[in-house]
Amino acid sequence: FILKEDHSMLDYLVKFIKRIIKNKNIYVLVVDDSLLIRKHITNILSKLKFNVIEAHDGEYAIKLLQKNQIDIVITDLLMPNLNGNDLIKHIRKKYTMSELPIIVISSQDEKKEFIKSLKLGANDFLKKPFLKDELVLRIHNILDLYDSYKKVNKKLQIDSLTNVYNRYYLEHHLEKVFNLYENKTIAMLDIDFFKKINDTYGHQYGDKILEHFAKTIKSVVRKSDIVIRYGGEEFLIFFPNTTKKEALIILLKIKRRLQECDYNYTFSAGISDEGSSLPEMIKIADERLYKAKKEGRDRIII
Ligand code: GH3
Ligand code: MG
Ligand code: MG
Ligand code: MG
């Protein structure tokens, strides 16, 4: 019996250590109007290697959420300006419970308020005063679920032929990423005469070209750049913190790689850093791509 107990303890420890290693990449937003409680939570979380960002009310929390990629929110209920439940309401308009988990911590004895939080989309709640282990275990449990959600979601977002992001990613996530950056550039790339390649060498060969094109793009862009298969043989690249000229240099590098490789195909592209929204920027890049096609293909228009 004792041995069995020890085993489960060991399992738990292993799981705990694995979790802590992962915590280094997790950003926690702690929202509480009490500096004392905020510091107390931050202190516990920092020891577990979490990255902690603090907000003194809901309003400020919303500002921080727009500028930072947050993985989990821990919020108080009673706060000036914007209270916890209003913050939950706001977050749930943009993120589902599995996309951005929320834990409510409050001293309110009112059971009704807690129930309201859960109805609004809080994942869990804790009553003040809470034990350190209580907080840590609840966070770790939620993050374990969050991990498996992310794994499934990642599969959903990837195009299985080319291994780059797909349209689903564009529609569900790029908009959020887009708003994180002040300066950004978008490029739309389309393979020239692809229909002819398919007709001449067969659909399977066409697939190979698609794989090769995506691989070439990925080998040239930086890790922070996002590559998406936009349509059949059309790809979108999102360049954060990048000027139009810098994006052009990267596209010219892709062009040179294609000239040096054994395959014989070219692409046309349009680049845009104009427009205040993602659809607007895509539209402008797409118009330039269309122009590149009309002007004879195998060219990039900025
Ligand atoms: P343009 O230079 O104007 O871009 O001409 P294009 O022939 O490249 O463009 P068009 O839109 O006429 O044809 C695109 C073709 O891409 C048609 C479609 O059958 C093919 N296609 C779309 N998805 C796939 C795919 O997954 N695999 C293969 N092999 N072909 C695909
Ligand atoms: Mg409070
Ligand atoms: Mg084409
Ligand atoms: Mg096309």
Side-chain angles (χ1 to χ4, degrees):
F1 175 71
I2 290 168
L3 254 176
K4 201 175 165 209
E5 274 265 315
D6 280 346
H7 269 296
S8 61
M9 198 56 212
L10 194 68
D11 283 348
Y12 172 73
L13 267 175
V14 170
K15 214 175 123 193
F16 186 75
I17 291 165
K18 276 187 185 163
R19 192 66 258 170
I20 287 190
I21 293 166
K22 285 182 186 166
N23 288 353
K24 284 183 183 166
N25 297 315
I26 299 286
Y27 285 79
V28 187
L29 177 62
V30 176
V31 194
D32 201 306
D33 57 332
S34 152
L35 179 71
L36 202 73
I37 292 170
R38 237 161 47 224
K39 289 297 163 207
H40 176 57
I41 297 173
T42 299
N43 198 25
I44 294 171
L45 298 182
S46 299
K47 279 186 187 136
L48 294 164
K49 306 293 173 205
F50 282 110
N51 306 285
V52 186
I53 299 172
E54 295 179 22
H56 56 273
D57 64 31
E59 231 172 67
Y60 189 57
I62 288 170
K63 272 197 195 128
L64 289 173
L65 279 164
Q66 281 161 353
K67 295 274 170 219
N68 301 276
Q69 197 126 35
I70 303 290
D71 298 289
I72 183 163
V73 176
I74 299 173
T75 183
D76 183 22
L77 281 184
L78 274 189
M79 290 181 290
N81 296 326
L82 194 78
N83 68 39
N85 278 338
D86 286 338
L87 175 65
I88 295 172
K89 238 189 263 176
H90 184 92
I91 292 175
R92 286 294 167 256
K93 274 186 202 151
K94 270 179 105 177
Y95 303 94
T96 64
M97 282 175 78
S98 32
E99 281 170 346
L100 182 54
I102 304 170
I103 298 178
V104 168
I105 299 185
S106 178
S107 52
Q108 280 200 314
D109 299 319
E110 250 324 331
K111 270 229 159 74
K112 273 185 187 160
E113 280 302 308
F114 278 135
I115 291 168
K116 196 173 159 199
S117 303
L118 291 173
K119 273 185 185 159
L120 288 171
N123 297 58
D124 205 351
F125 69 83
L126 273 173
K127 240 182 188 177
K128 285 178 206 167
F130 57 86
L131 296 173
K132 172 181 162 264
D133 280 351
E134 207 182 347
L135 173 68
V136 172
L137 287 167
R138 279 177 201 262
I139 293 177
H140 278 177
N141 279 350
I142 283 182
L143 288 176
D144 283 346
L145 277 171
Y146 184 57
D147 275 353
S148 44
Y149 166 77
K150 274 208 280 198
K151 258 185 220 156
V152 172
N153 210 35
K154 189 98 198 168
K155 281 222 171 87
L156 219 82
Q157 296 168 358
I158 299 290
D159 174 55
S160 58
L161 177 69
T162 59
N163 257 324
V164 298
Y165 285 109
N166 58 20
R167 202 66 191 234
Y168 180 90
Y169 174 86
L170 176 85
E171 278 152 20
H172 292 85
H173 295 277
L174 191 62
E175 195 104 27
K176 286 166 202 157
V177 178
F178 185 84
N179 290 320
L180 293 175
Y181 303 96
E182 287 285 336
N183 305 306
K184 50 230 161 182
T185 298
I186 274 177
M188 298 291 281
L189 297 76
D190 186 288
I191 301 177
D192 297 324
F193 304 115
F194 189 64
K195 201 180 164 321
K196 207 171 156 194
I197 295 173
N198 266 336
D199 292 347
T200 313
Y201 303 103
H203 200 85
Q204 270 188 341
Y205 184 81
D207 282 357
K208 266 206 176 123
I209 295 283
L210 283 172
E211 278 181 77
H212 179 264
F213 190 45
K215 220 176 177 174
T216 308
I217 294 172
K218 278 215 285 194
S219 73
V220 172
V221 300
R222 295 152 303 186
K223 229 183 158 175
S224 53
D225 302 331
I226 297 169
V227 184
I228 300 169
R229 187 173 176 197
Y230 191 76
E233 22 73 89
E234 191 166 355
F235 292 81
L236 181 158
I237 310 173
F238 176 74
F239 299 99
N241 302 320
T242 309
T243 65
K244 228 160 48 168
K245 272 190 184 160
E246 286 165 341
L248 174 65
I249 290 168
I250 294 172
L251 259 59
L252 287 171
K253 221 171 171 178
I254 296 170
K255 187 178 159 135
R256 202 173 331 126
R257 286 268 167 99
L258 294 186
Q259 285 164 348
E260 288 162 358
C261 81
D262 292 335
Y263 290 104
N264 184 22
Y265 68 95
T266 58
F267 72 91
S268 303
I271 304 179
S272 162
D273 63 356
E274 296 102 320
S276 53
S277 68
L278 177 63
E280 253 178 67
M281 215 180 255
I282 291 177
K283 191 169 171 270
I284 297 167
D286 219 17
E287 280 162 7
R288 290 183 182 148
L289 165 64
Y290 182 71
K291 202 167 165 228
K293 291 280 184 191
K294 260 181 83 177
E295 288 182 10
R297 296 175 176 84
D298 191 15
R299 67 200 63 207
I300 303 159
I301 292 185
I302 67 170

